[in-house]
Amino acid sequence: TVCGFKPCVGFKEKFMKCLCDNKFENALCRNEPKDYLECRMDRQLTEREPLEKLRLEDLINRKPKAKTKF
């Protein structure tokens, strides 16, 4: 990271909070890892992969939430 800047950390924290709030029932937090991975891919921190390959294909056609800048 540059000067301690950690892009996408807010998405990771949102996912962890969702897991905690839902007794680690990850099926209830499907959108959060998608948002986190898309953030990382958009910033070229992770190689871009199709969501189908990441087993997130069921989230592709959902209405997008407002983008949060983290």
Side-chain angles (χ1 to χ4, degrees):
T1 62
V2 177
C3 300
F5 177 67
K6 296 180 182 181
C8 307
V9 73
F11 290 103
K12 180 181 173 185
E13 290 172 355
K14 184 178 172 186
F15 177 50
M16 296 307 296
K17 180 177 181 341
C18 181
L19 287 174
C20 289
D21 291 348
N22 291 290
K23 298 179 183 174
F24 293 89
E25 195 62 47
N26 66 352
L28 300 174
C29 302
R30 298 269 299 141
N31 220 36
E32 286 76 5
K34 174 188 160 286
D35 294 341
Y36 174 67
L37 291 169
E38 285 181 327
C39 177
R40 291 191 53 83
M41 290 187 289
D42 289 346
R43 289 162 179 78
Q44 299 178 347
L45 300 170
T46 301
E47 186 175 334
R48 183 157 297 280
E49 296 284 351
L51 293 178
E52 294 88 356
K53 187 174 180 182
L54 301 172
R55 298 186 179 207
L56 297 169
E57 63 273 358
D58 59 315
L59 303 175
I60 293 172
N61 293 324
R62 287 190 182 174
K63 283 188 173 182
K65 292 181 180 178
K67 291 271 183 177
T68 306
K69 294 185 180 183
F70 289 103

